Amino acid sequence: MDFAWSDENDAFRTRVRDFLDRVLPSDWDATARHGPGSREQTEFSLSFCPQLAEAGLLVPHWPAEWGGADRPTWEHFILGEEMWAAGEPRGGQYMNVNWIGPVLMRYGSDAQKQRYLPPMAAGRAIWCQGFSEPGAGSDLASLRTRALRDGDDYVINGQKIWTSYAGLAETCFLLARTGEGRNGIAVFLVPMDTPGIEVRAIPSLIGHGDIHEVFFTDVRVPASCRLGDEGEGWTIISYALANERVGIPRYEMSSRELDAMVAQLKARDGFDNAVIRTRAAEAAAACDAARMLVYRVVDERARGEPPGTAANLARVAVVEADHKVTDFGMDFLPDCYSGTDHAAFQAHHERAIVTGIAAGAAEIQLNLVARRHLDLPKGA
Amino acid sequence: MRLAFNEDQATFSTVLGQMLGDEVEAGFHTVEGWGRYDYGHALDARLEEAGFFDAAREEDLGTVAAAAMVHDVARVPVVIECAASALLRPFLGDDLPRPLAVVVDDAPGAIRFLPQARALVSITPDAVRLARLDGQAEPVESLYAYPMGVAGQDLDWQPLDADPQTIRTLWQIALAAELGGVLDGGLASVLRYVREREQFGRPIGSFQGVQHRLATDAVWIDGARLLTLRAASTRDPAHAALALAHIQSHATRIGYDLHQFMGAMGLTLEHPLHRWTYRARALRAEMGGAPQAFLDYADTRWGKP
């Protein structure tokens, strides 16, 4: 076992940090305050990501064939840590890097790869993920949006909700039903300017323009928009989620914001109290436990092991870490959550409160830990 | 960054697992006189004979293998003095006897393992000392699932050539490893029970209210194990304090869950659950407990007040 970063890893992290120091504007915290799905941050990502691509730092872990450099798995995570801790200047494009691109490489047709991967690798593609529905949140397999085959086309009708990035996305990674049960789900890559698609933003606690309702009314797309086979949707989404469960290194931002909170308290002579110091350390412990559990997932992936239950455990720990840090801030620096002087704390809070809900509720992860990791019997 | 054991550590772990395998079932018996602990004399002798307590001295095994061993040995329902022998003794000099008992900062009261110990180690901010024992320790009855004892005043303390901070850090790692292992062993025992015990026509382990709490406990235990192994690898005082604080802070809740889901069976001395949970109760208060370990960490990360 070796818990130290290699010189190569350290050099890569320094390279990413130097890039961020050079490229992020002085008012970046105010932009990041709006949230990854906001118009401000999305528009910023369209100038930031091409520069990242130019520097070889957008998709370094992708195969060279698709614009990457075949770099090691750990570099992908170091990159993710630095980006998320900086407020995620890639906006919603982090999804392309983490899982949409890899999913297309694995399941896409040649035409789909040629069409979609180059813009992603260039940092100029905005996607949204059309998963949840009003009646299908944690129970995603009960989704009802239906794609009916009509000659060479599909006609899609239904509704998605909580759809991140939909307001500005060009393409939707859409789950729709072509049959019954889990085997009746397919994935469609749907251009968002297709007639019949209506997007409505939902004002929320988690940043501007981050979640939406998306209505599909007689949306006609060619069959070539389908990713994989008709019954392959659940397999594809399982593969995508295996990539994404630990895709956002939230513990890194939480850990750095915790340091910033402590610095703020020290500046007020407010960090001598043993209770406050204990609470800060408790939050730090949660961050580091989450970090170690995520690193185990990365390590398994780096060694080519198949996905196991480690990601489910890690996801639960990440939720606890995020909440302990934002609770610490709100308990001991309550004034920092009003006004505009502490945008980073406020942005962290808005990202933290969604942690246990986005990308699969924490309780679903607990179900999976119980059944797959602890081998407990399934409920009635 | 590599979170898997190296080849030697993996072999060490596998052989240790085979040696411990017999103890899991062997521990499911009552102890003569309804004793609160079951000292694993046979296991202790086997590990000593095979040189397992010296793993930390081996370059390719090191403190990582030693900490993993402490964790794994703590999982079985017999108790042996492993933590001090595996993680302190290799750094205290040559030819030290074992088993060892340890007292930190002259903490008052009975000391774990003292009745079996052949020497007592004292760790204070200024010194590490050792007193060889020859009948000065007196056993005391205790709620804790350890042999507990008190020593007389006439101990012959000898200073050891060891850095107190280094030894304190190693002892935090050792305690974190033992507490994590004890809780993990208790959890495994409860999992076996809730898979089989039926109420309302189904195994109680199939109820989500039970599953979520045990799954949460597993997340804490697993995270603590990794924090402990990191601390063993780096021997960084901050990492050691954090590993101990994390598992000590969750031990109370995990212990509550383990007893709650074992129900009345877990209140008997027939079932060995108490041999894990009443070790955890002792360990979670060692070195000042989680509050002190958190403060130690805060001092290291953010400076002293």
Side-chain angles (χ1 to χ4, degrees):
Chain A
M1 277 186 158
D2 183 1
F3 291 81
W5 294 108
S6 68
D7 291 345
E8 195 179 14
N9 291 155
D10 281 337
F12 181 76
R13 191 183 293 277
T14 300
R15 196 175 141 215
V16 176
R17 286 185 179 178
D18 288 348
F19 179 87
L20 288 168
D21 286 346
R22 197 171 62 249
V23 172
L24 290 184
S26 57
D27 62 350
W28 163 246
D29 273 1
T31 303
R33 169 74 184 78
H34 295 289
S38 63
R39 177 171 295 279
E40 291 86 346
Q41 205 157 327
T42 303
E43 286 175 353
F44 180 81
S45 83
L46 288 169
S47 66
F48 176 82
C49 287
Q51 294 179 74
L52 203 57
E54 185 70 24
L57 292 173
L58 184 62
V59 289
H61 59 292
W62 281 19
E65 178 188 6
W66 297 113
D70 295 301
R71 297 300 299 165
T73 304
W74 280 108
E75 287 192 4
H76 171 208
F77 270 76
I78 292 169
L79 182 67
E81 283 185 347
E82 293 302 320
M83 291 295 154
W84 187 254
E88 195 47 276
R90 296 174 300 183
Q93 291 197 61
Y94 82 88
M95 291 198 308
N96 310 349
V97 172
N98 282 5
W99 66 268
I100 300 178
V103 164
L104 293 183
M105 286 173 215
R106 186 177 179 109
Y107 294 100
S109 65
D110 286 344
Q112 287 168 335
K113 291 177 193 172
Q114 294 293 346
R115 175 175 176 182
Y116 292 118
L117 291 174
M120 283 187 196
R124 301 179 194 283
I126 307 293
W127 285 64
C128 61
Q129 88 184 32
F131 291 1
S132 294
E133 297 183 3
S138 293
D139 182 13
L140 186 58
S142 69
L143 64 90
R144 294 170 65 178
T145 294
R146 190 164 285 279
L148 280 179
R149 186 76 188 233
D150 183 23
D152 291 336
D153 297 335
Y154 282 92
V155 178
I156 300 169
N157 280 283
Q159 180 188 350
K160 295 289 172 180
I161 196 166
W162 320 128
T163 315
S164 301
Y165 319 116
L168 298 163
E170 300 140 358
T171 318
C172 181
F173 190 97
L174 179 75
L175 296 185
R177 186 165 291 294
T178 55
E180 301 309 314
R182 282 190 180 182
N183 294 332
I185 295 173
V187 175
F188 295 88
L189 311 176
V190 179
M192 288 296 283
D193 59 1
T194 310
I197 298 177
E198 182 188 356
V199 178
R200 293 182 199 158
I202 303 174
S204 75
L205 296 171
I206 57 171
H208 304 163
D210 210 52
I211 51 179
H212 306 79
E213 290 177 291
V214 185
F215 299 89
F216 295 83
T217 306
D218 295 330
V219 174
R220 181 172 288 273
V221 296
S224 60
C225 283
R226 196 188 66 228
L227 181 69
D229 294 330
E230 274 203 356
E232 208 173 10
W234 197 253
T235 304
I236 294 172
I237 199 62
S238 297
Y239 175 77
L241 286 175
N243 267 301
E244 191 51 12
R245 279 211 174 96
V246 295
I248 302 178
R250 295 174 183 272
Y251 53 83
E252 185 69 24
M253 183 188 218
S254 286
S255 188
R256 293 191 199 184
E257 290 307 318
L258 180 62
D259 280 336
M261 290 168 185
V262 168
Q264 184 68 27
L265 284 163
K266 281 177 151 183
R268 305 170 175 197
D269 293 328
F271 195 61
D272 289 352
N273 180 295
V275 172
I276 298 176
R277 295 173 72 82
T278 302
R279 280 279 304 275
E282 194 179 351
C287 289
D288 263 20
R291 178 190 300 277
M292 288 298 109
L293 288 164
V294 169
Y295 282 4
R296 182 171 60 181
V297 179
V298 182
D299 184 59
E300 288 177 357
R301 196 177 296 172
R303 288 186 285 111
E305 292 188 7
T309 56
N312 306 118
L313 285 121
R315 267 273 290 156
V316 175
V318 165
V319 174
E320 182 174 350
D322 253 7
H323 282 258
K324 281 201 166 160
V325 172
T326 195
D327 288 348
F328 177 81
M330 287 197 135
D331 286 351
F332 300 116
L333 292 163
D335 55 296
C336 293
Y337 294 84
S338 303
T340 55
D341 291 344
H342 300 283
F345 293 166
Q346 295 174 18
H348 171 262
H349 172 76
E350 293 187 346
R351 284 156 173 78
I353 59 170
V354 75
T355 304
I357 297 165
E363 286 69 24
I364 300 299
Q365 305 306 313
L366 289 173
N367 287 346
L368 296 172
V369 171
R371 291 212 293 274
R372 296 180 187 172
H373 185 68
L374 302 182
D375 196 25
L376 290 174
K378 194 169 182 179
Chain B
M1 190 74 66
R2 177 185 159 82
L3 272 63
F5 287 141
N6 66 31
E7 202 173 319
D8 289 341
Q9 290 165 343
T11 303
F12 179 85
S13 174
T14 301
V15 174
L16 176 66
Q18 290 164 352
M19 292 173 77
L20 296 175
D22 296 340
E23 302 297 335
V24 175
E25 291 309 319
F28 277 79
H29 63 237
T30 56
V31 179
E32 192 179 339
W34 299 106
R36 301 292 288 265
Y37 65 87
D38 185 11
Y39 199 90
H41 293 285
L43 175 64
D44 191 317
R46 280 203 303 275
L47 292 174
E48 179 153 0
E49 189 181 344
F52 273 63
F53 294 117
D54 296 321
R57 295 180 200 268
E58 304 288 332
E59 191 180 344
D60 291 329
L61 295 173
T63 41
V64 166
M69 170 183 166
V70 172
H71 180 279
D72 291 352
V73 169
R75 293 184 78 253
V76 299
V78 298
V79 61
I80 65 168
E81 190 288 290
C82 181
S85 289
L87 278 160
L88 293 192
R89 187 166 164 265
F91 300 94
L92 294 177
D94 295 327
D95 302 323
L96 258 60
R98 68 164 301 277
L100 294 171
V102 179
V103 61
V104 180
D105 296 334
D106 300 321
I111 298 169
R112 294 184 299 115
F113 293 115
L114 202 63
Q116 267 81 9
R118 292 173 58 206
L120 175 61
V121 176
S122 162
I123 306 168
T124 60
D126 303 321
V128 182
R129 298 178 301 156
L130 180 128
R132 290 176 190 263
L133 299 170
D134 185 17
Q136 298 99 323
E138 194 171 317
V140 294
E141 294 223 350
S142 172
L143 294 183
Y144 300 123
Y146 284 104
M148 303 290 290
V150 291
Q153 299 296 314
D154 56 341
L155 298 181
D156 180 18
W157 288 107
Q158 299 294 322
L160 295 175
D161 184 19
D163 172 48
Q165 179 56 53
T166 301
I167 299 303
R168 186 177 289 266
T169 296
L170 286 165
W171 190 232
Q172 285 184 314
I173 295 166
L175 291 174
E178 184 170 351
L179 180 52
V182 160
L183 293 170
D184 200 28
L187 176 63
S189 164
V190 170
L191 289 170
R192 269 198 299 274
Y193 179 74
V194 301
R195 282 184 203 119
E196 294 168 5
R197 169 71 170 164
E198 290 197 4
Q199 288 289 273
F200 305 103
R202 55 192 258 214
I204 57 175
S206 69
F207 289 97
Q208 206 172 45
V210 176
Q211 290 190 346
H212 280 194
R213 279 164 59 181
L214 292 174
T216 303
D217 295 339
V219 171
W220 287 331
I221 291 170
D222 226 27
R225 180 174 176 273
L226 288 169
L227 288 175
T228 301
L229 291 173
R230 179 180 69 166
S233 174
T234 64
R235 297 192 222 169
D236 180 327
H239 289 164
L242 201 69
L244 181 58
H246 188 62
I247 192 63
Q248 283 184 323
S249 70
H250 290 301
T252 307
R253 177 54 195 256
I254 295 169
Y256 174 77
D257 285 348
L258 298 185
H259 270 288
Q260 197 62 21
F261 299 136
M262 189 67 82
M265 181 58 73
L267 300 179
T268 70
L269 293 178
E270 292 177 52
H271 193 282
L273 179 63
H274 63 98
R275 287 185 217 147
W276 288 291
T277 56
Y278 277 81
R279 287 175 68 185
R281 284 175 189 269
L283 293 168
R284 78 185 197 219
E286 285 267 352
M287 298 182 82
Q292 185 58 56
F294 278 134
L295 289 174
D296 289 348
Y297 177 76
D299 289 351
T300 311
R301 177 158 169 176
W302 296 298
K304 294 187 178 182

